[in-house]
Amino acid sequence: KSAQEAVRAGVIPSRARAADSHWNRWATFCISLHIDPSLEGVHDTIEILQVFAHRYRHGEIAPSGRQVKSRTVEDSLRAVGQAFTSVGAKDPRWNAAGDIDFRRQRQLRSYSKADPPPDRVKPIPIQVLFHVLHVAQASNHEANRATADMIILAFFYLLRPGEYTHNESNETTPFRLCDVELMIGRRRVLVTECSDEDLDAATFSKLTFTSQKNGVRGEVIGLGLSGLPQFCPVRAVAHRIKHLRQHHAPNETPLCAYWDNGAWKHVRPGDITAALRASVSVIGPRVGFVAKDLSARSL
C-alpha cells in the first residue's frame, strides 16, 4: 500500500484525480460492452481501445458530451495504459512486439489533422507591461505593486503562472524568500539580514528552482540589471524582499505574498490576467491588441 501511495504521489493531485476519472470512464465503457476492464480474455486489445477512443472523441462518453480534441483522447488512452502497468500488467496500447500499434497511431493522427488550430495567447507588447507598472506605482496599493513586481519577474525569468503566483489548489510552487539571492558586484547579499541600502545597490538577482515545473531542481537562474530604473528583475526582487522583511515574513513566504489590512494575501493568476487586460483595454488599440488576446500564460 505504501508503495502504491508513493506512485500516486509522483504526480500532482490534479493529475492523479484525472487518471482516476479516465479509469472510471474506461471501466464504465467496458462494462457497457460486457467486457472485463482488465481485458481478460480479449485477444485484440487494440480494437477495444479504438472503439473507446472513437466514442470519447465524438463525445459519446466524454464528460462534456461534446467532441474533444485529439490530445484529450490520447491523454485518456495513456491514463488507461498506465493504470494497467501500475499493477504490473501489460499496457494494452502496444502490440505483441511491444511497439506502437499503427492502427492506434493513425487513428490519433487523423483526429489531430481534423482538430481546429490551437487558440493560443499572444506574446505581450512591452508597452502593456510598462503601463501595468505605471498604474501600480500611481495607485499606492500594495496589491497592485505586488502584481506588477510578479509580472516583471515572470517576464524576465520566463515563468509559468504556477511558479510565481498562488492558488488554493496547493499545486503551485511559487518562488519563496529563501529561494532568492542578490549580488552587489561579486559580493553576495544575505537578503534576510542586509540593509535596505544593500538591496537598492544590488546588481544581480538569482532564483533557485526547487519544485518549479519549468526548471531543473536545484538549478540557479540569474539576471542582471535591465538598464531601466523600475522595469527590472533585480529591482522587482529587491522590492519584494523589502516588503516581506518589513512585515517580518518567514523565509518560506512566497515572493507573491503581500501584507494588506492586517493579513497576508497572495498574487493569483487571475490578478495577473486582470492587470494585463486592464492595461490592454487602455493602450491596446495602439499596439493592435484586445483584452482576450492576453492572459497570465502570455508571460
Side-chain angles (χ1 to χ4, degrees), residues 86-97:
S86 68
V87 295
K90 176 180 176 296
D91 190 328
R93 294 176 298 162
W94 312 117
N95 59 25

Side-chain angles (χ1 to χ4, degrees), residues 24 37 39-40 45 62 70 119 134 143 169 177 196 212 216 218 227 231-232 256-257 261 266 284 287 297:
N24 291 337
L39 298 180
E40 185 71 29
T45 59
S70 59
D119 184 18
H134 174 74
S169 69
L177 182 59
D196 284 353
Q212 289 77 17
V216 179
F231 192 75
C232 171
C256 63
N261 291 327
H266 299 87
V287 293
R297 292 186 297 113

Side-chain angles (χ1 to χ4, degrees), residues 26-27 29-56 61 77 80 84 92-93 103-104 107:
W26 165 258
F29 161 77
C30 289
I31 291 171
S32 71
L33 297 180
H34 306 290
I35 296 173
D36 189 325
S38 68
L39 298 180
E40 185 71 29
V42 175
H43 176 67
D44 189 349
T45 59
I46 297 299
E47 288 185 346
I48 303 301
L49 290 172
Q50 283 187 289
V51 176
F52 174 76
H54 174 84
R55 292 188 181 182
Y56 197 7
I61 58 177
L77 291 173
V80 170
F84 275 79
R93 294 176 298 162
R103 292 169 294 174
R104 180 175 63 87
Q107 183 180 14

Side-chain angles (χ1 to χ4, degrees), residues 8 15 19 33 35 56 62 94 119 134 191 198 203 234 250 280:
R8 185 176 177 83
R15 287 291 300 272
L33 297 180
I35 296 173
Y56 197 7
W94 312 117
D119 184 18
H134 174 74
V191 298
D198 277 346
T203 58
V234 181
V280 167

Side-chain angles (χ1 to χ4, degrees), residues 185-261:
R186 295 184 178 183
R187 177 167 68 89
R188 179 186 177 192
V189 176
L190 297 177
V191 298
T192 57
E193 301 177 12
C194 69
S195 65
D196 284 353
E197 288 73 19
D198 277 346
L199 293 178
D200 291 336
T203 58
F204 202 79
S205 62
K206 299 179 181 180
L207 295 180
T208 299
F209 286 82
T210 53
S211 54
Q212 289 77 17
K213 187 177 181 181
N214 205 37
V216 179
R217 295 188 67 180
E219 184 177 32
V220 178
I221 304 297
L223 293 172
L225 295 168
S226 70
L228 299 173
Q230 297 297 327
F231 192 75
C232 171
V234 181
R235 299 278 75 86
V237 167
H239 184 266
R240 297 314 317 143
I241 293 171
K242 283 184 180 180
H243 178 77
L244 295 177
R245 293 197 323 181
Q246 179 184 351
H247 297 284
H248 311 290
N251 282 345
E252 301 294 322
T253 304
L255 291 180
C256 63
Y258 60 93
W259 186 261
D260 183 54
N261 291 327

